[in-house]
Amino acid sequence: WLQYFNKEEFIYAHDPEKKCKTGDIVLIQELPEKMTRLISHMVKHVVYPLGDITDPLTGKKVVVGKYRDEIAEANELYGESENAFKYDDAPDRGWQEDKKDFTHRESYIKYHEFPDDDQPYAV
Amino acid sequence: MWKVGLYLTKNLCSPSNYNINTSLREYAFKSNLKIKWIRPEKIPCQKPEKSGDLQKIGDVDSKGFPLQFSDSQELLDADEMVKKMFSLGFLPRKYSTQVLRHEMVCTVQRHHLDFGSMESRIASMTSIIRNWQELYEQFPRNKKLNVRLKELIDKRKKFLKYLRRWDYKRYEWLLSKLDVVYHPPPNEFRRVTRKESLCKLTDKYCNDLKEQRLKQYKATLESQQIEFLRDKIKLAIQIRTGTDKSLKEHSAALLRCGVVQCGVCSHQFPNMHGNVR
């Protein structure tokens, strides 16, 4: 019977300013000459950062299928609580790295107990 | 028989093994480095350390009332015995967990009727998980509870994964509010074996050794540098202040070619453009 499989292509792109983070959709340009054996492209700019997408047509911020204004309107109609999440007060992505969010590095299965090392990326 | 002969000649030829009685086995290799491998303890995934819960569920006010009677005025005016009977301390555990769950959801919900948004669902799941973790500590033979707990933990992890994809800022805020740690799953799921772990440890050991030796060598070279620069300065001063014309001409010619001669030991160094650190 027919089976369909995904194909993945890995490209090494030069990013000296560290603009992109894991999961971002990014625009890359092919370099005229290969920088190293592997690096063939360079990162131009981030199009859609992960979890913070702006609609390209309207320019408004979006959460999955709804605009943020719509959600805010609904909350206001119900009577927004004090503990609700506010987008304006939220800091940029990365303030919980190494504290609660360990997705910026690849995790591995612990294979040895090091006396000095805490091994925060070991599962 | 020929294999035995080869084996003996191998033994005799190696300079380290002059004692013929030592045996060199050709299976189950054991290195001389004596690296000790400590197998990490297996922590079950239902425990709070592994599930990501840093806090235990808080204590409920034993004199408080359940959710159903939170708004009633009659209970507040009632007799002391009646109040005692309706207090959470004397009611089954279920009512206290209800109250704690409601409290946790109230800290995250968007409005007072919000129980369907991602953050409120994850909050209710965390309160249940923490409650069941405590229960399981008391009653470890309740295997059905253990199974439900494990499944809930996995579900919450899945929801956190989705929330991270949809709304990263809200996800980070939620992690900080509920005190939950999120680890992404590893790329490979392999059994932890002695051979593989020792292989990795020996690789680490070798890399550390290499780095250490390179550092040492760099330090020795840098120490030599200081002496050379000192001599160079001396020479330069000598050249500028001295009256020996021939020496001046000779050193000027050498500088043009890119070589400096040390006046003390007459050793020729390449010109370092006078950078004194």
Side-chain angles (χ1 to χ4, degrees):
Chain A
W1 73 105
L2 267 183
Q3 283 186 316
Y4 295 88
F5 300 95
N6 289 328
K7 259 194 182 173
E8 282 179 354
E9 201 188 308
F10 294 96
I11 297 174
Y12 286 80
H14 182 58
D15 185 20
E17 294 155 42
K18 295 209 178 174
K19 296 178 212 167
C20 44
K21 296 208 165 191
T22 50
D24 294 345
I25 292 168
V26 137
L27 186 70
I28 50 175
Q29 192 182 42
E30 198 175 339
L31 296 165
E33 284 168 342
K34 272 197 178 181
M35 205 181 278
T36 56
R37 178 176 69 96
L38 294 162
I39 302 173
S40 55
H41 293 69
M42 65 169 239
V43 171
K44 275 212 117 176
H45 63 270
V46 175
V47 181
Y48 301 123
L50 181 69
D52 205 9
I53 295 167
T54 45
D55 185 21
L57 298 171
T58 49
K60 294 196 263 184
K61 291 274 181 181
V62 165
V63 172
V64 211
K66 295 184 191 173
Y67 291 111
R68 273 194 207 167
D69 326 342
E70 282 177 21
I71 300 166
E73 219 186 285
N75 292 353
E76 266 192 59
L77 287 169
Y78 277 106
E80 198 168 346
S81 82
E82 300 163 341
N83 302 322
F85 174 63
K86 281 148 201 159
Y87 286 97
D88 308 320
D89 303 337
D92 286 330
R93 173 180 167 173
W95 67 288
Q96 286 288 30
E97 266 175 29
D98 276 333
K99 291 169 200 167
K100 303 264 164 65
D101 177 30
F102 292 94
T103 49
H104 55 285
R105 285 269 295 268
E106 267 181 29
S107 55
Y108 58 95
I109 293 172
K110 218 186 217 185
Y111 60 91
H112 177 70
E113 284 280 5
F114 290 99
D116 323 320
D117 216 349
D118 205 17
Q119 293 191 73
Y121 305 109
V123 169
Chain B
M1 280 304 288
W2 63 273
K3 259 195 177 170
V4 173
L6 264 174
Y7 171 80
L8 281 171
T9 45
K10 218 202 265 181
N11 239 346
L12 289 167
C13 291
S14 56
S16 54
N17 306 354
Y18 285 108
N19 186 7
I20 297 166
N21 288 329
T22 53
S23 54
L24 233 177
R25 64 177 176 187
E26 280 158 12
Y27 63 94
F29 170 74
K30 201 171 181 181
S31 75
N32 295 335
L33 295 169
K34 292 192 183 162
I35 295 168
K36 195 170 181 196
W37 171 62
I38 306 161
R39 189 191 284 270
E41 262 180 60
K42 170 137 173 110
I43 307 166
C45 51
Q46 294 88 356
K47 294 238 158 149
E49 303 96 64
K50 269 265 181 159
S51 72
D53 300 280
L54 302 174
Q55 269 183 18
K56 286 206 166 182
I57 199 157
D59 292 320
V60 83
D61 184 20
S62 55
K63 292 189 183 166
F65 299 124
L67 261 185
Q68 293 92 327
F69 306 119
S70 54
D71 294 333
S72 79
Q73 289 293 316
E74 288 158 330
L75 251 184
L76 296 168
D77 308 325
D79 199 37
E80 245 191 69
M81 281 306 291
V82 174
K83 275 194 188 175
K84 241 189 183 180
M85 279 181 70
F86 280 89
S87 66
L88 287 168
F90 284 88
L91 282 169
R93 198 194 164 100
K94 172 169 98 174
Y95 297 98
S96 355
T97 53
Q98 260 179 16
V99 167
L100 286 164
R101 188 170 160 189
H102 185 80
E103 265 177 35
M104 200 164 227
V105 171
C106 280
T107 55
V108 226
Q109 58 182 193
R110 295 175 188 180
H111 48 82
H112 70 288
L113 289 171
D114 172 36
F115 301 104
S117 71
M118 212 54 162
E119 55 259 36
S120 44
R121 285 168 83 184
I122 291 172
S124 85
M125 290 208 281
T126 28
S127 77
I128 296 167
I129 286 166
R130 284 171 191 180
N131 177 41
W132 284 355
Q133 275 167 347
E134 273 190 24
L135 247 191
Y136 186 64
E137 268 180 70
Q138 286 177 26
F139 308 108
R141 286 190 298 175
N142 193 350
K143 291 149 200 173
K144 288 191 183 174
L145 176 75
N146 196 21
V147 167
R148 274 182 281 153
L149 174 58
K150 204 240 168 200
E151 286 175 356
L152 231 199
I153 289 166
D154 292 338
K155 201 162 204 173
R156 184 183 67 173
K157 212 176 175 193
K158 185 163 101 174
F159 279 22
L160 278 168
K161 175 182 93 176
Y162 287 151
L163 185 62
R164 177 178 175 269
R165 243 195 269 166
W166 299 336
D167 205 340
Y168 209 97
K169 295 191 175 177
R170 205 162 17 123
Y171 152 85
E172 287 186 312
W173 166 80
L174 194 71
L175 288 182
S176 70
K177 260 262 164 122
L178 298 177
D179 230 352
V180 172
V181 174
Y182 179 76
H183 287 278
N187 290 330
E188 285 171 326
F189 288 93
R190 279 165 134 187
R191 219 177 287 179
V192 175
T193 47
R194 184 189 292 271
K195 193 169 175 181
E196 217 183 300
S197 338
L198 278 171
C199 197
K200 288 186 197 172
L201 286 170
T202 41
D203 284 340
K204 253 196 170 171
Y205 177 84
C206 294
N207 285 331
D208 288 339
L209 235 187
K210 264 194 223 170
E211 274 181 37
Q212 196 194 22
R213 286 189 185 172
L214 277 171
K215 255 189 180 177
Q216 263 180 357
Y217 186 52
K218 195 179 177 184
T220 51
L221 287 175
E222 287 203 327
S223 64
Q224 282 177 7
Q225 233 175 34
I226 293 164
E227 271 186 54
F228 160 70
L229 287 166
R230 229 180 271 156
D231 294 335
K232 183 177 169 161
I233 292 163
K234 262 191 204 170
L235 223 202
I237 293 164
Q238 247 185 352
I239 292 160
R240 279 181 209 165
T241 54
T243 51
D244 202 346
K245 265 193 180 175
S246 63
L247 180 68
K248 267 193 184 171
E249 282 169 15
H250 185 59
S251 56
L254 281 173
L255 275 167
R256 264 180 266 126
C257 302
V259 176
V260 172
Q261 191 164 1
C262 174
V264 178
C265 57
S266 67
H267 185 96
Q268 292 190 342
F269 294 98
N271 188 7
M272 281 176 72
H273 306 287
N275 289 338
V276 182
R277 270 179 228 159

